[in-house]
Amino acid sequence: MSRFSKSIVAAALLALTASAFAFDTFKLGRQATPAELAAWDIDVRPDFKGLPKGSGNVQQGNDLFEEKCASCHGSFGESNEVFTPLIGGTTHEDIKNGRVGGFVKGDIPQRTTFTKVATISTIFDYIQRAMPWTAPKSLKPDEVYAILAYFLNLAEIVPADFVLSDKNIAEVQKMMPNRNGMTTNHGMWPGAPAARGGIGNGGKPDVKNVACMKDCKKEVRIGSVLPNYARTAHGNLEDQNRSFGPVRGVRTVDGDAAVARAPAQSAELTLANASGCMACHGLSSKIVGPGLNEVQARYKDQADAADRLAAKVKAGGQGAWGSIPMPPNGHVKDEDIKTLVKWILSGAK
Amino acid sequence: MVDLSKKPGHLRRAPENFLSEEQVKAVGAGRRDFLRKSFLAAGAAMAAPLVARADAAGDPDILNLPPWTTSLGLPVATNPYGQPSKYESQLLRRESPGLTRVGGASVSFCPLQGLFGIITPSGLHFERHHQGWHDVDPSKHRLMINGSDPAFLKQPKVYTMDQLMRLPPVSRIHFIECGANTGLEWGNVAVPTVQYTHGMLSCSEFTGVPLKTLLEDCGVDYKKARYVLAEGADGSSMTRTIPMEMVENGEVIVAYGMNGEMLRPENGYPLRLVVPGVQGVSWVKWLRRIEVGDMPYATKDEAVHYIDLMPDGMHRQYTSIQECKSVITSPSGGQQLLETGFYNVTGVAWSGRGKITRVDVSFDGGINWKTARLEGPIQNKALTRFNIDWVWDGKPAILQSRAIDETGYVQPSYGQLRAVRGTKSIYHNNAIQSWKVVESGEVSNVQVL
């Protein structure tokens, strides 16, 4: 390497390392106002920094939960229908020890939120920022406290007359059933290790292999093969590979059946997907909202059904199918709504 | 038996060699309708099905000039935004049936089985949304930078897209992999193809401003603020903790560009965080806020999800690095070899700890290994394509790949990984993948311990 190119490399390295900018170098961006910070800085940390003042009791939480949460989570937070269960799988013993026995013994049937989470701050933060599913950030702090109080009572961590507030939430955190169930002693944190005020062991891997090249073992032990039902559970694999090139996809749906299912979905279903309908509605079964075939069954004999449904799709509604509101759909064109409603009333497929 | 009608360009005498024994018999018996049927079944992809008779004169696809050779084509800008060929309708992002109940909190997998090189076409980039996706109006999008304590910054600031895109940018190629990629396979084989085993993986060139530039523009106090919280503008307002060390070394990018254009809405348009080598959940999409702080945040996705259950019942928290991993993408599960002979075996390797230095491939289930060719340039925390020659003799084989990164870490076997982490961890499965080839040429997913 010539001296010239060496000096270029050195200059480039210098440029890379000396990229520290001073405060407001670019005169771009402006100071955030206190109101702006209050509007967006909503996170709540494990030390409860950021926690809003407020309180709520178990009964209020029960009522709110039934109204806003139960259709997805089940009346007691135990449902596995839409999301994994919130409550269940913890005992009084766990609350005492701070370790969930089902994990220690390895026989836990289902991981619920309360079996895992060590910090109640996490749940407060998450409900406040992301729930309810279709109307995130609509709950007031007192409502979040109330719903949390209800959870804590369902998990038998607090009594039925408990009032949760910013004053006592730190005490409650000390009773969380899996509070001692977390470890950061691993090599997968990309920052400073615990020894230098950070997390983990500084990136030391826990699993070790060596790159043997020849006669590495006597025999090949197969631990598991693809079960037959799983071979076809993802549709026709032939359709998921190119029809030319070095290989083909395996035909997992037989002969004529594969041809028959070629027009995989109707134009209306494509439209329903694109319009966001299928995020909450199944064709035949309820997800968050009712199944589209259930809607058909209810409205099929009503003369004005098409117009009424179209209006509901456009403006949104609540109450006909439970308390989870259907949001307004102003983004969907009127003619598309008409097409979709017609499709729903003719037994959407 | 492979349907020969799906192998265009092969010259065979008809009907003896062109048809199977049963088909020859059927022709002898005067039944020819099945021929037409089998060509129809070969798929709409072949606009002009092969003529039933190929003879010694040559390939009819050569002898009979096709319409595209004998007519005028379409003018420029017929498609102002170009689209893939109509013959490329098979390689799509797909969901794994039954994996999730709600499309807004779900995953679509990238079709790795048919991709080349290392760059994922933006339209095929895998998706993971926590509360649905939006097409965010860039003129209304803001990035706020603040401190958990006012003392951690000289000034909390707000930037518009106009301002962010005036700052000195970088462009870098990095892989992004979901922490739960291959998570379905911890206990046993569960899904048939590489799309579903490894398809929560993509690689793009990202363009944006190093977060370091922005934090310094706000006058960050690196001594006090050792953690960063990133927050999205979507309904879930996803949050994750990132170590300040990764920001200080210039790796973390506030990105607006992906593969030469703006990010796609599903990937966070107009702004997402790029955290090289770290699992996808930390690459917060629709990024609206960065908070600097003095402790990790234990957010929902680092205290309820994205925690790794160990055999002793403890959950590992803040596991972020995607360790060295590789997979053969072709031939792979759910594919079919058409005949014996030469094949190029190809796949991708990557490491969250740096560059890939070597990939070895085994054809006998891990008894013997050969070193594959790496396609360069090999980049830091990016997919690396490998290729290796293989002549299939028609006998059963088990194909595996094993990657090594610049730290010397060797991708482990299922046996080695499970011995330490058990089978219930969900996240961070980087075990060696095995594809079994049987005499018929069908390739399927198996696990070798």
Side-chain angles (χ1 to χ4, degrees), chain A residues 168-237:
Chain A
N168 61 13
I169 194 167
E171 290 308 306
V172 172
Q173 185 148 291
K174 293 177 192 157
M175 295 189 283
M176 293 298 281
N178 202 39
R179 63 185 176 277
N180 300 322
M182 296 286 171
T183 175
T184 53
N185 183 17
H186 56 72
M188 292 163 79
W189 174 249
R196 288 196 283 117
I199 290 173
N201 67 18
K204 204 170 132 244
D206 56 348
V207 182
K208 196 169 159 49
N209 191 6
V210 287
C212 166
M213 296 302 285
K214 225 175 152 34
D215 301 324
C216 302
K217 52 188 174 185
K218 290 264 180 311
E219 52 163 9
V220 175
R221 278 177 53 221
I222 303 276
S224 172
V225 300
L226 186 71
N228 248 333
Y229 66 83
R231 187 171 177 271
T232 53
H234 287 72
N236 187 14
L237 302 179

Side-chain angles (χ1 to χ4, degrees), chain B residues 374-397:
Chain B
L374 300 185
E375 293 298 321
I378 298 165
Q379 304 181 76
N380 182 41
K381 301 178 184 177
L383 291 191
T384 299
R385 174 65 62 173
F386 64 86
N387 292 295
I388 189 167
D389 300 347
W390 181 47
V391 176
W392 183 46
D393 58 7
K395 297 200 182 90

Side-chain angles (χ1 to χ4, degrees), chain B residues 311-323:
Chain B
D312 65 357
M314 295 294 282
H315 282 90
R316 286 183 177 173
Q317 206 172 9
Y318 304 112
T319 46
S320 301
I321 294 174
Q322 295 298 107
E323 294 184 302

Side-chain angles (χ1 to χ4, degrees), chain A residues 12-328:
Chain A
L13 282 175
L14 195 68
L16 275 177
T17 50
S19 67
F21 294 110
F23 170 61
D24 208 19
T25 301
F26 304 99
K27 309 288 176 226
L28 291 169
R30 61 158 176 84
Q31 183 158 14
T33 70
E36 288 169 341
L37 287 166
W40 277 13
D41 182 3
I42 57 171
D43 67 88
V44 179
R45 303 199 311 190
D47 65 349
F48 299 103
K49 197 160 201 172
L51 184 74
K53 287 192 172 23
S55 66
N57 67 38
V58 173
Q59 187 54 51
Q60 290 161 341
N62 189 351
D63 297 344
L64 278 164
F65 191 84
E66 277 299 321
E67 185 196 331
K68 294 176 190 276
C69 322
S71 65
C72 287
H73 292 291
S75 280
F76 305 103
E78 83 302 351
S79 170
N80 201 17
E81 292 274 311
V82 181
F83 301 107
T84 47
L86 303 172
I87 310 291
T90 61
T91 65
H92 289 282
E93 192 74 0
D94 300 345
I95 295 166
K96 211 160 64 188
N97 299 334
R99 285 293 307 275
V100 170
F103 288 135
V104 179
K105 294 195 283 288
D107 61 357
I108 197 154
Q110 163 97 44
R111 289 182 241 192
T112 72
T113 299
F114 264 63
T115 60
K116 293 185 284 184
V117 70
T119 38
I120 194 75
S121 62
T122 303
I123 310 299
F124 190 102
D125 175 275
Y126 180 64
I127 295 174
Q128 174 170 264
R129 72 173 56 247
M131 288 292 112
W133 178 246
T134 54
K137 301 177 189 66
S138 62
L139 295 172
K140 296 182 186 68
D142 285 350
E143 295 178 311
V144 180
Y145 280 108
I147 290 166
L148 262 190
Y150 177 59
F151 287 175
L152 290 162
N153 177 247
L154 282 176
E156 299 181 22
I157 297 167
V158 301
D161 59 357
F162 191 74
V163 182
L164 182 70
S165 74
D166 55 294
K167 304 283 186 307
N168 61 13
I169 194 167
E171 290 308 306
V172 172
Q173 185 148 291
K174 293 177 192 157
M175 295 189 283
M176 293 298 281
N178 202 39
R179 63 185 176 277
N180 300 322
M182 296 286 171
T183 175
T184 53
N185 183 17
H186 56 72
M188 292 163 79
W189 174 249
R196 288 196 283 117
I199 290 173
N201 67 18
K204 204 170 132 244
D206 56 348
V207 182
K208 196 169 159 49
N209 191 6
V210 287
C212 166
M213 296 302 285
K214 225 175 152 34
D215 301 324
C216 302
K217 52 188 174 185
K218 290 264 180 311
E219 52 163 9
V220 175
R221 278 177 53 221
I222 303 276
S224 172
V225 300
L226 186 71
N228 248 333
Y229 66 83
R231 187 171 177 271
T232 53
H234 287 72
N236 187 14
L237 302 179
E238 181 183 34
D239 300 340
Q240 302 178 23
N241 283 273
R242 283 197 185 86
S243 54
F244 61 95
V247 296
R248 297 290 182 278
V250 173
R251 182 175 294 188
T252 48
V253 177
D254 266 339
D256 289 344
V259 177
R261 57 172 292 288
Q265 64 182 43
S266 66
E268 290 91 341
L269 180 54
T270 305
L271 178 63
N273 267 316
S275 307
C277 312
M278 309 315 287
C280 292
H281 300 278
L283 283 176
S284 56
S285 59
K286 169 182 176 286
I287 301 178
V288 176
L292 297 180
N293 300 151
E294 296 175 305
V295 176
Q296 182 215 8
R298 183 179 290 186
Y299 287 89
K300 63 177 187 242
D301 299 325
Q302 302 178 19
D304 58 345
D307 291 340
R308 282 175 53 211
L309 275 181
K312 276 195 177 202
V313 172
K314 196 165 182 65
Q318 184 182 13
W321 296 92
S323 54
I324 284 265
M326 163 137 160

Side-chain angles (χ1 to χ4, degrees), chain B residues 62-73:
Chain B
I62 293 174
L63 299 177
N64 308 323
L65 296 182
W68 49 86
T69 310
T70 55
S71 64
L72 175 63

